[in-house]
Amino acid sequence: MEKLKMIYEGKAKKVYETGKEDQIIIEYKDDATAFDGEKKGQIVGKGRLNAEITTIFFDLLAEQGIPTHHISKLGEREILARKLDIILIEVVIRNIVAGSLTKRLGLAEGSELKEPILEFYYKSDELGDPLINEYHIRAEELATEEELAEIKGLSFKINSILVDFLADKGIDLVDFKLEFGKGSDDKLYLGDEISPDNCRLWDSKSKKKLDKDRFRRDLGEVESAYQEILKRLKE
């Protein structure tokens, strides 16, 4: 598939047109950002690793009946995907207390939640992706009732699939972010990526962080953490 004009460049990816109107090529970058872009750097090999990790996760989800934008992996750091009209809602699923939840609920990091928590965030870099609820979504007409119900159902199903899959690899899925969009067929698809960039992944025994928190918190061994995730996914 030929890569044509670049139509978008974000913090971690570049998006290109292809010869087909409803397909795009996504190129994963080594660039890393945190704290709404205040911290910037590079993680050597991150683009290649995230492209491969995302492909493994999306292939797994497709096998389990989850509609995704992923079509196939191309080069080392590129995938072919359906072009989506992204719904401006980010979904975060939390299984273990970490990140902002520790401050909002006053809970200790690592505390087990009795059931997964689903949160919505307004996808807006300018506003810092604020936490919102279903009333905000309806007021701003970000999604219809039917779309929202489908998003919630798919999100919990994805969580269940990934928690079980990763548990077999000795990894705790602490929390992760999902994005959805509508394809040219007007159907809802999972978009974006699933990788250590937008998941918290801990070793099940040692609780060592194997995700972008190592970059956020200056913990070191960032590249090796991403490499460890890919290694375990392939086992």
Side-chain angles (χ1 to χ4, degrees):
M1 179 65 71
E2 186 180 3
K3 184 166 67 176
L4 302 177
K5 177 184 176 184
M6 186 173 75
I7 54 178
Y8 171 78
E9 181 173 5
K11 298 171 185 174
K13 294 183 283 292
K14 296 178 181 178
V15 180
Y16 295 87
E17 293 178 342
T18 69
K20 294 187 177 181
E21 188 175 340
D22 62 345
Q23 294 183 3
I24 54 174
I25 290 174
I26 301 173
E27 178 185 328
Y28 289 74
K29 299 160 57 177
D30 288 348
D31 296 352
T33 64
F35 311 118
D36 293 326
E38 292 182 13
K39 181 176 183 177
K40 298 180 180 179
Q42 285 216 331
I43 300 172
V44 177
K46 180 173 80 75
R48 175 184 59 81
L49 293 164
N50 278 355
E52 193 162 356
I53 290 168
T54 293
T55 297
I56 291 171
F57 280 134
F58 275 62
D59 284 348
L60 168 69
L61 293 172
E63 290 171 4
Q64 298 295 319
I66 302 296
T68 83
H69 75 153
H70 189 274
I71 297 173
S72 64
K73 190 169 181 292
L74 299 176
E76 275 198 341
R77 57 179 64 226
E78 295 175 341
I79 68 167
L80 180 66
R82 292 178 179 85
K83 186 176 183 180
L84 301 181
D85 183 10
I86 294 294
I87 294 173
L88 298 180
I89 300 169
E90 295 181 346
V91 178
V92 172
I93 297 281
R94 301 182 184 275
N95 299 301
I96 298 170
V97 176
S100 62
L101 198 62
T102 61
K103 297 179 181 179
R104 282 190 276 121
L105 297 186
L107 299 173
E109 182 177 83
S111 301
E112 294 276 350
L113 294 166
K114 292 182 179 179
E115 62 181 52
I117 292 175
L118 183 150
E119 298 174 343
F120 296 116
Y121 292 81
Y122 180 31
K123 184 175 170 60
S124 169
D125 288 340
E126 294 79 11
L127 299 176
D129 301 326
L131 179 67
I132 58 176
N133 60 37
E134 294 185 37
Y135 293 95
H136 297 113
I137 292 170
R138 286 196 290 269
E140 293 299 311
E141 298 182 336
L142 299 178
T144 67
E145 292 286 352
E146 293 77 14
E147 289 168 346
L148 198 56
E150 188 175 359
I151 285 170
K152 289 191 290 185
L154 285 171
S155 297
F156 282 121
K157 184 176 179 181
I158 291 165
N159 183 57
S160 179
I161 294 167
L162 295 184
V163 165
D164 289 345
F165 176 70
L166 288 167
D168 287 340
K169 311 293 185 182
I171 300 169
D172 290 338
L173 179 57
V174 177
D175 57 40
F176 63 111
K177 177 178 71 69
L178 298 171
E179 294 185 19
F180 295 88
K182 303 292 283 293
S184 58
D185 56 4
D186 206 37
K187 293 181 180 179
L188 193 72
Y189 292 90
L190 173 66
D192 197 38
E193 67 180 293
I194 299 179
S195 76
D197 267 16
N198 63 356
C199 301
R200 283 191 172 91
L201 304 164
W202 295 354
D203 179 87
S204 298
K205 292 181 179 179
S206 69
K207 305 305 177 184
K208 179 180 178 179
K209 295 172 175 61
L210 300 171
D211 53 66
K212 201 168 76 170
D213 266 354
R214 304 203 68 82
F215 170 77
R216 292 187 187 97
R217 301 186 183 187
D218 295 318
L219 298 175
E221 300 180 352
V222 184
E223 293 88 354
S224 62
Y226 281 62
Q227 291 165 0
E228 178 67 17
I229 291 295
L230 179 58
K231 176 186 172 184
R232 293 198 196 183
L233 295 186
K234 285 182 165 183
E235 289 175 349

